[in-house]
Amino acid sequence: MRWSRLFIPTLREDPAEAEVASHKLLLRAGYIRQLGAGIYSYLYLAQRSLLKITAIVREEMDRIGAQEFYLPGLNPAEIWKESGRYAAMGDNMFRLKDRVGREFCLGMTHEEVMTDIARHELRSYKQLTQIWYQIQTKFRDEPRPRSGLLRVRQFIMKDSYSFDLDQAGLDISYQKHHEAYCRSFTRCGLKYTAVEAHSGAMGGSQSHEFMVLSDAGEDQIAECVSCGYSANLEMALSRLPAVADDGGTGTPEPFHTPGKKTIAEVSEFDGRPARDHLKSLLFMSGGVPALVLVRGDQEASETKLAGLLGGEFRPAHPDEVRQYTGAAPGSVGPVGLPQIRVLADKALEGRRNMICGANRDDYHLRHVTPGRDFTAEFQDLRAAQPGDLCARCDGTLRVSKAIEVGHIFKLGRKYSESMGARVLDASGREVTLVMGSYGIGIERILTAAIEQNHDQDGMALPPSIAPFQVIITPINAADAQMMQAAEELYQRCLETGLDALLDDRDERPGVKFKDADLIGVPFRVNIGRKLASGVIEVVTRATRARADVKIGEAPRYIREASAPRA
């Protein structure tokens, strides 16, 4: 393509509304324009990059035997009600009615539609395994669209679904997707890590997120610096150093704590560090109370609680706290509450002589020993923090921001059971299908690549997903010899399979160089004074390295430089 004929509306200044680097550069480089909050038009350069990303993902899905579908974005509400997710998705789902009042929604994902096809078409174990996928637009009524393409209301997703007879089959399908995702992200030039994650509204027994480390990320991951363990911070397991409690054997003893409600206030009052106090949190789940205990200097993980309390839960209201404990918030504790389920973090197991609320306003108890003075289920409830000990070794955890680019789930029978997707096994017995669900954010790959590969002048995209691999830049458009050489090199690049852009504009060299740096093309060929010696200059965008190359060898040089490194 020739730049003079293209629509590439570059900007010299950062747009005021953009915050993260990828958002600024996508706007400045003329890749996108905003239509509304969280709604973007993808212009020529963005579309070229997104199509290249899509092609890579499609090739890797086809490689594992997946079959490509294309499903409706407009879904009848009934199918989502069957799975129970029509209500569970809440305000995140776009909902509408047709002209006669029938309820519809815009698909956020397609578990229900795929399961509907499976329940009507799959009859025998002989048809399994099935892996079906699509690359399609999805919709989410994001409450706070921000960060450009990172949090939007309309986006492109590759979503795939596996159907197996049993758990062993699901394990194989899951591993195939894991490997396909690794190959896809590697081919797209991303530095990524796969971490254990929470399944959220998708449900299921296990999931992994594929994360790209970036300060623009809205997720956080914990990684062990020693053994390589990694997990989303919501799910990360960790240990705290052992605490040496005093050897006293006293029984619980109330003491007056007038007006002291928080751990910090009580700790200052009684002179004991926060780690010696029990933080008591009352939650309601399905109308049933549960008391959650963590160490006073720690926080409970809502994600971990969701798995133990059954998903939907909330902090108890003050009147509910008094109803079930007899005290106001700030004076609550586990002693003497046999009718309430008590969940205690594992860091409290084996502790002695701790402080907790007395279930009496303005009173606390000292000499409280978990397991002796109250019965509790000891579980991992605590939110991991930087510097915690790894749960698998003696290393320490570091916490980093990250962008999620993919997520895979072992759904099990969550959807097939509720929607009646069954087949006959080898013995003729009817069994419920076992499912997996797997997603990749196409725009997020582009955004994450920009976040990982940019400088003050623009993007430095990986060759595999850049809109063009090479930009050919004659220094002087009025020089007939330079323009002829540029045209001939451009044609040779195309003939050898290089995706080339010819900057044939009548602009100053500085303008051309700045634009080339901005839009992220990996290699720039400068055709200038050295042409008389048959030499051109090849500039590698990512490193700024410059090399003098014989003009006839330029295509081979660029192809070799573009090849992925092992």
Side-chain angles (χ1 to χ4, degrees):
M1 302 299 290
R2 291 167 170 78
W3 194 311
S4 63
R5 301 178 187 176
L6 299 181
F7 180 64
I8 306 177
T10 59
L11 305 173
R12 291 293 169 233
E13 303 296 330
D14 288 338
E17 70 273 21
E19 297 177 358
V20 299
S22 57
H23 191 192
K24 295 174 184 177
L25 292 174
L26 284 167
L27 288 168
R28 281 190 56 205
Y31 277 55
I32 64 173
R33 288 295 182 262
Q34 184 169 340
L35 180 63
I39 307 171
Y40 288 89
S41 298
Y42 302 152
L43 307 186
Y44 178 68
L45 294 182
Q47 181 68 352
R48 287 184 66 89
S49 284
L50 293 172
L51 287 174
K52 290 184 177 183
I53 293 168
T54 299
I56 290 171
V57 172
R58 179 175 283 115
E59 288 172 10
E60 294 301 336
M61 291 305 300
D62 292 348
R63 183 173 170 182
I64 64 171
Q67 305 159 74
E68 186 168 6
F69 289 20
Y70 190 83
L71 305 180
L74 182 65
N75 296 177
E78 288 77 11
I79 198 168
W80 286 76
K81 290 178 180 178
E82 281 190 71
S83 71
R85 289 206 300 173
Y86 191 72
M89 287 300 184
D91 292 338
N92 287 329
M93 176 180 279
F94 281 103
R95 305 163 199 267
L96 63 156
K97 292 183 179 181
D98 68 8
R99 64 184 66 197
V100 297
R102 287 181 296 233
E103 292 181 307
F104 287 82
C105 61
L106 298 181
M108 303 169 65
T109 179
H110 277 75
E111 281 77 10
E112 286 80 1
V113 179
M114 287 289 194
T115 305
D116 181 65
I117 296 172
R119 68 179 173 181
H120 287 111
E121 305 297 336
L122 299 181
R123 293 287 179 262
S124 168
Y125 74 97
K126 295 180 181 179
Q127 295 172 276
L128 305 178
T129 295
Q130 292 288 332
I131 299 177
W132 301 338
Y133 81 98
Q134 63 171 344
I135 300 174
Q136 192 225 38
T137 300
K138 300 290 193 291
F139 302 90
R140 173 187 171 90
D141 194 1
E142 173 59 51
R144 294 177 299 278
R146 58 190 180 277
S147 301
L149 302 186
L150 281 177
R151 190 160 289 277
V152 290
R153 290 177 169 171
Q154 176 178 315
F155 53 95
I156 304 169
M157 187 168 82
K158 187 289 299 176
D159 51 316
S160 56
Y161 308 86
S162 62
F163 297 89
D164 285 285
L165 189 66
D166 52 27
Q167 183 64 40
L170 172 59
D171 291 345
I172 294 171
S173 296
Y174 192 85
Q175 184 61 29
K176 284 183 177 179
H177 277 84
H178 193 288
E179 293 170 0
Y181 278 36
C182 289
R183 290 192 297 266
S184 296
F185 298 134
T186 298
R187 289 180 61 187
C188 289
L190 296 181
K191 301 180 184 70
Y192 67 92
T193 183
V195 305
E196 296 176 11
H198 177 52
S199 296
M202 299 292 289
S205 61
Q206 183 182 16
S207 74
H208 283 84
E209 289 173 325
F210 292 81
M211 309 292 275
V212 171
L213 297 183
S214 169
D215 288 338
E218 295 181 324
D219 287 291
Q220 290 185 301
I221 62 173
E223 298 177 286
C224 176
V225 298
S226 298
C227 73
Y229 166 75
S230 60
N232 190 299
L233 190 61
E234 297 175 331
M235 290 290 291
L237 304 176
S238 65
R239 295 182 292 117
L240 294 172
V243 175
D245 293 317
D246 67 60
T249 58
T251 57
E253 172 187 308
F255 63 103
H256 194 209
T257 52
K260 311 302 180 186
K261 301 295 183 184
T262 67
I263 294 291
E265 291 171 344
V266 178
S267 177
E268 182 179 9
F269 182 79
D270 65 22
R272 298 278 299 277
R275 69 184 185 188
D276 291 345
H277 291 70
L278 293 174
K279 183 180 291 185
S280 303
L281 308 164
L282 191 69
F283 291 93
M284 302 298 297
S285 177
V288 178
L291 190 67
V292 172
L293 307 177
V294 295
R295 214 170 77 174
D297 59 344
Q298 303 295 310
E299 299 294 334
S301 165
E302 291 191 7
T303 300
K304 294 176 182 178
L305 290 179
L308 293 167
L309 297 179
E312 292 294 325
F313 69 98
R314 60 170 174 79
H317 301 313
D319 58 334
E320 292 171 324
V321 174
R322 186 170 293 280
Q323 175 188 346
Y324 289 107
T325 70
S331 297
V332 173
V335 179
L337 295 178
Q339 76 279 18
I340 294 179
R341 181 187 185 190
V342 178
L343 296 168
D345 182 64
K346 285 187 175 181
L348 300 175
E349 199 167 13
R351 293 294 307 275
R352 296 179 297 175
N353 298 322
M354 302 190 75
I355 309 293
C356 70
N359 297 319
R360 175 183 171 191
D361 288 350
D362 293 331
Y363 278 85
H364 281 70
L365 297 176
R366 57 169 61 97
H367 306 314
V368 174
T369 295
R372 182 196 69 181
D373 299 320
F374 62 89
T375 300
E377 304 169 37
F378 289 97
Q379 303 280 354
D380 182 75
L381 305 176
R382 193 175 52 82
Q385 299 178 3
D388 284 356
L389 297 177
C390 175
R392 297 183 179 176
C393 73
D394 291 328
T396 57
L397 296 183
R398 64 185 176 199
V399 175
S400 307
K401 287 185 176 181
I403 298 169
E404 177 190 339
V405 291
H407 203 158
I408 59 178
F409 304 83
K410 288 184 177 180
L411 296 178
R413 297 180 174 86
K414 173 181 170 67
Y415 298 89
S416 52
E417 185 68 55
S418 64
M419 297 181 67
R422 301 180 181 89
V423 298
L424 299 179
D425 66 11
S427 64
R429 183 172 57 94
E430 193 175 64
V431 296
T432 302
L433 290 169
V434 180
M435 292 177 58
S437 175
Y438 318 88
I440 285 179
I442 301 298
E443 296 100 332
R444 280 178 166 249
I445 291 177
L446 175 60
T447 300
I450 296 169
E451 290 292 341
Q452 285 192 331
N453 301 280
H454 72 273
D455 56 26
Q456 70 276 10
D457 295 321
M459 315 174 194
L461 288 173
S464 60
I465 66 171
F468 295 95
Q469 290 171 279
V470 56
I471 180 169
I472 299 166
T473 309
I475 301 303
N476 183 1
D479 187 309
Q481 186 178 3
M482 285 187 189
M483 292 304 295
Q484 181 181 352
E487 179 68 35
E488 291 174 354
L489 178 57
Y490 170 66
Q491 293 298 333
R492 283 201 298 273
C493 285
L494 296 183
E495 290 166 3
T496 58
L498 281 176
D499 203 4
L501 171 63
L502 174 58
D503 191 350
D504 59 340
R505 296 176 296 168
D506 185 15
E507 290 281 4
R508 291 178 288 106
V511 172
K512 292 184 175 184
F513 295 161
K514 283 186 176 296
D515 280 343
D517 284 347
L518 178 60
I519 67 173
V521 177
F523 300 97
R524 185 178 79 238
V525 173
N526 297 333
I527 298 179
R529 296 188 185 91
K530 296 179 182 179
L531 180 62
S533 303
V535 172
I536 48 88
E537 181 182 60
V538 179
V539 181
T540 301
R541 175 66 182 86
T543 62
R544 304 287 190 175
R546 297 170 181 268
D548 287 343
V549 178
K550 291 289 185 180
I551 192 166
E553 298 176 1
R556 180 182 59 81
Y557 178 91
I558 294 167
R559 279 199 309 275
E560 292 177 355
S562 299
R565 298 292 187 263

